[in-house]
C-alpha cells in the first residue's frame, strides 16, 4: 500500500493486526511521532547549523529516514532485515532521493561510525541499543520506547531489569515511564562522560519519545546525574514528594494520611523539555504534515507545562475527595488565584501540574 507523509510517498506492506508478522513493519499511528521528528530535525539544524548527518538506525520501511532525506539531511538508513533495507532502497528511489542504506545490526554500525543525529525507534525497549547509540551520536539522540508496561511499573520486574531503576505503577504512569527511560539514558551516557539532556519529550498513545542533546565532559555528565532522584508516592491520598540524589531517603509514612509510601527511582527529575526548543519545533510544523493540528496542540501544551516531576489527574483527585470534577480551565485558575503555579499537561485532558501539594490543591479548588 502507498502512504504519503509530509513531502514523501512510500510503499509499505499491508500490515496484519498491530503490524505483527508483516514482512516489514509500518505503524500509521506513529505519523505524529514522525511529523514531530521532522520538525525537531529542522529546529535542531537551525539551532546547530553545522549538523548534517542523520542515522535512522532501525528503519523498517525507511519512512522516517526518507522524510529526513527529503529535508536535506545526509541520511543513512539501517535495518538488520533484508526485506526492510530492500524496501528502504525502493522508497528512496520512488522519491528521487539519495541516501546510504545499510543492512546491518545497528549496534555494529553505531559502534563503528558516528552521526550528528541518531534515531532509535525499535520494537519495545531501546535499551539494547543504548550503549552503541550513545557512542554513535555526536549531538542529538532521538529515542522511542514502546514498552510502556515495564517503564511505568505495570510489569515491575521487567522494568527493573531493563532500566536499572524501580518503576512504580502510579496514577501519573506515563510520566513515570518517561522519567524511568530518561534516567536510564542519562546514566548510560554518563558512563562515557556525556551529558544527555532531554530537550523535547512526549508520552503519546503507547510510546515515549525523547530527544537528548549531548554535551561532552565529566563535569557536565555529573551535573546530569545530579538531576536524578526518587519520587515518594502515597497510593491512598495521592500525596507525593521527590528528593534528589542516588540514595533514596523516603519519609517513613505519608505525612497527610500516615499510610505506606511507595518509592520509585532513580528517575530523571529534571526538565523533560526545553521550552525554547519546543517552541522552535512548533514553528517548524508545516501544513503538509498529516498531524499538523495535533502536533501543534501537543507542542503548545508541552511548552507551557510547568517544571515538576509528577502530575495529577483532576478526576482521580475529585473521586478520592467525593467531589464532582469541574472544567479544567476553571480548576487551574483556582490554583493560580491561590498563588500556585499550575498548567495543563500533555499526559491527558484532565491532568495538570502544580507546585501545590495535594492538601493545598484540595483547599485551593474547594467551592
Ligand atoms: N522507524 C520505523 C518507522 O518509523 O516506521 C519503525 C521501526 S520498527 C519499530 C523496528 C525495526 O528495527 C524493524 O524493521 C526491525 O527489523 C529493526 N531491527 C531490529 N533489531 C535491529 C538491529 N539489531 N539492528 C537494526 N535494525 C533492527
Amino acid at each position: 500500500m502507498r502512504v504519503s507523509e509530509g513531502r514523501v510517498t512510500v510503499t509499505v506492506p499491508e500490515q496484519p493486526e498491530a503490524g505483527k508478522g508483516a514482512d516489514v513493519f509500518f505503524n500509521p499511528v506513529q505519523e505524529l511521532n514522525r511529523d514531530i521528528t521532522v520538525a525537531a530535525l529542522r529546529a535542531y539544524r537551525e539551532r546547530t547549523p553545522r549538523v548534517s548527518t542523520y542515522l535512522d538506525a532501525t528503519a523498517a520501511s525507511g519512512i522516517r529516514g526518507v522524510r529526513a532525506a527529503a529535508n536535506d539531511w545526509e541520511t543513512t538508513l539501517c535495518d538488520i532485515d533484508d526485506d526492510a533495507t530492500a524496501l528502504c532502497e525502493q522508497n528512496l528511489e520512488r522519491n528521487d532521493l539519495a541516501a546510504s542504506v545499510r543492512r546491518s545490526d545497528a549496534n555494529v554500525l553505531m559502534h563503528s561510525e558516528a552521526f550528528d543525529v541518531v534515531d532509535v525507534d525499535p520494537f519495545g525497549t531501546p535499551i539494547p541499543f543504548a550503549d552503541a547509540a550513545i557512542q554513535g551520536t555526536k549531538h542529538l539522540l532521538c529515542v522511542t520506547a514502546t514498552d510502556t508496561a515495564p517503564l511505568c511499573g505495570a510489569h515491575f520486574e521487567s522494568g527493573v531489569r531493563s532500566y536499572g531503576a524501580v518503576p512504580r505503577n502510579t496514577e501519573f504512569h506515563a510520566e513515570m515511564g518517561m522519567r524511568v527511560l530518561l534516567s536510564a539514558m542519562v546514566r548510560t551516557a554518563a558512563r562515557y562522560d556525556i551529558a544527555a539532556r532531554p530537550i523535547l519529550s512526549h508520552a503519546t498513545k503507547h510510546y515515549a519519545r525523547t530527544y537528548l542533546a549531548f554535551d561532552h565532559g565529566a563535569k557536565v555528565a555529573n551535573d546530569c546525574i545530579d538531576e536524578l532522584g526518587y519520587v515518594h508516592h502515597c497510593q491512598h491520598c495521592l500525596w507525593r514528594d521527590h528528593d534528589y540524589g542516588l540514595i533514596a531517603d523516603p519519609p517513613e509514612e505519608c505525612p497527610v494520611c500516615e499510610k505506606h509510601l511507595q518509592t520509585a527511582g532513580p528517575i530523571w527529575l529534571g526538565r523533560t523539555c526545553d521550552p525554547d526548543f519546543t517552541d522552535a519545533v512548533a514553528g517548524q510544523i508545516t501544513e503538509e504534515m498529516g498531524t499538523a493540528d495535533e502536533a501543534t496542540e501537543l507542542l503548545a501544551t508541552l511548552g507551557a507545562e510547568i517544571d515538576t516531576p509528577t502530575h495529577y489527574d483532576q478526576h482521580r483527585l475529585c473521586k478520592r475527595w467525593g467531589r464532582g470534577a469541574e472544567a479544567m480551565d476553571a480548576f487551574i485558575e483556582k490554583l493560580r488565584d491561590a498563588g500556585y503555579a499550575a498548567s495543563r499537561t500533555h499526559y491527558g485532558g484532565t491532568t495538570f501540574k502544580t507546585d501545590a501539594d495535594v492538601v493545598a490543591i484540595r483547599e485551593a479548588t474547594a467551592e
Side-chain angles (χ1 to χ4, degrees):
M1 84 188 157
R2 275 193 193 181
V3 174
S4 293
E5 274 189 18
R7 297 174 184 162
V8 309
T9 298
V10 297
T11 303
V12 299
E14 292 285 346
Q15 300 289 303
E17 196 190 335
K20 287 190 184 101
D23 290 344
V24 180
F25 179 86
F26 174 75
N27 186 354
V29 173
Q30 294 270 10
E31 184 174 3
L32 175 72
N33 181 336
R34 290 186 286 266
D35 282 348
I36 292 178
T37 301
V38 170
L41 287 175
R42 291 174 182 166
Y44 190 71
R45 190 163 44 194
E46 267 201 12
R47 179 193 253 214
T48 322
R50 65 186 184 281
V51 296
S52 61
T53 56
Y54 170 82
L55 170 66
D56 181 356
T58 49
S61 67
I63 186 159
R64 204 176 284 262
V66 172
R67 291 186 64 180
N71 278 269
D72 297 327
W73 283 81
E74 201 181 304
T75 302
T76 301
L77 299 100
C78 169
D79 204 287
I80 202 163
D81 181 74
D82 284 326
D83 292 337
T85 48
L87 191 55
C88 288
E89 302 268 17
Q90 283 170 31
N91 283 329
L92 284 163
E93 203 178 306
R94 170 184 294 283
N95 290 281
D96 214 6
L97 291 165
S100 163
V101 177
R102 308 280 186 89
R103 200 210 64 77
S104 165
D105 185 327
N107 283 324
V108 173
L109 176 61
M110 295 185 295
H111 269 300
S112 58
E113 238 177 274
F115 302 83
D116 291 327
V117 180
V118 169
D119 201 320
V120 179
D121 176 46
F123 295 128
T125 176
I127 290 300
F129 299 95
D131 281 275
I134 283 159
Q135 289 176 77
T137 300
K138 292 185 192 165
H139 297 287
L140 183 71
L141 175 57
C142 322
V143 178
T144 308
T146 58
D147 58 330
T148 49
L151 274 171
C152 74
H155 293 170
F156 180 81
E157 288 87 358
S158 169
V160 171
R161 281 198 313 277
S162 290
Y163 294 97
V166 172
R168 292 292 185 191
N169 199 359
T170 60
E171 88 279 4
F172 48 93
H173 52 89
E175 185 163 12
M176 171 68 65
M178 177 64 76
R179 291 179 182 280
V180 166
L181 170 67
L182 290 171
S183 164
M185 297 306 297
V186 164
R187 283 180 284 120
T188 307
R191 293 211 303 265
Y192 303 98
D193 289 350
I194 293 170
R197 210 166 261 288
I199 54 173
L200 178 66
S201 313
H202 58 104
T204 308
K205 300 188 175 98
H206 63 286
Y207 63 88
R209 173 79 169 164
T210 187
Y211 299 78
L212 298 154
F214 282 17
D215 199 358
H216 291 77
K219 160 87 179 63
V220 284
N222 285 343
D223 293 345
C224 263
I225 292 288
D226 287 345
E227 291 189 55
L228 298 173
Y230 292 83
V231 170
H232 316 295
H233 177 255
C234 175
Q235 295 282 15
H236 184 73
C237 73
L238 306 183
W239 178 89
R240 74 286 300 262
D241 197 6
H242 61 274
D243 55 61
Y244 289 87
L246 289 177
I247 298 171
D249 186 19
E252 279 187 9
E253 59 186 28
C254 174
V256 176
C257 69
E258 300 178 359
K259 295 274 197 305
H260 170 72
L261 287 171
Q262 284 191 325
T263 292
I267 64 168
W268 173 253
L269 295 174
R271 278 193 174 279
T272 55
C273 292
D274 165 351
D276 291 339
F277 184 68
T278 306
D279 280 357
V281 176
Q284 295 292 349
I285 297 288
T286 40
E287 61 184 12
E288 82 279 5
M289 294 179 177
T291 72
D293 291 347
E294 196 185 344
T296 301
E297 197 182 322
L298 171 62
L299 290 160
T301 308
L302 284 168
E305 272 183 17
I306 67 163
D307 177 25
T308 62
T310 67
H311 65 268
Y312 298 88
D313 184 318
Q314 191 213 158
H315 285 190
R316 288 181 195 229
L317 285 174
C318 287
K319 202 168 162 199
R320 300 269 160 146
W321 300 336
R323 188 165 110 181
E326 64 181 309
M328 278 307 286
D329 287 344
F331 186 86
I332 285 173
E333 219 36 62
K334 283 182 181 172
L335 285 166
R336 290 182 182 153
D337 288 347
Y340 299 108
S343 71
R344 284 174 178 265
T345 91
H346 79 289
Y347 295 103
T350 57
T351 63
F352 64 99
K353 283 178 173 270
T354 180
D355 55 0
D357 73 11
V358 76
V359 177
I361 298 170
R362 188 174 187 169
E363 278 171 16
T365 59
E367 285 314 303

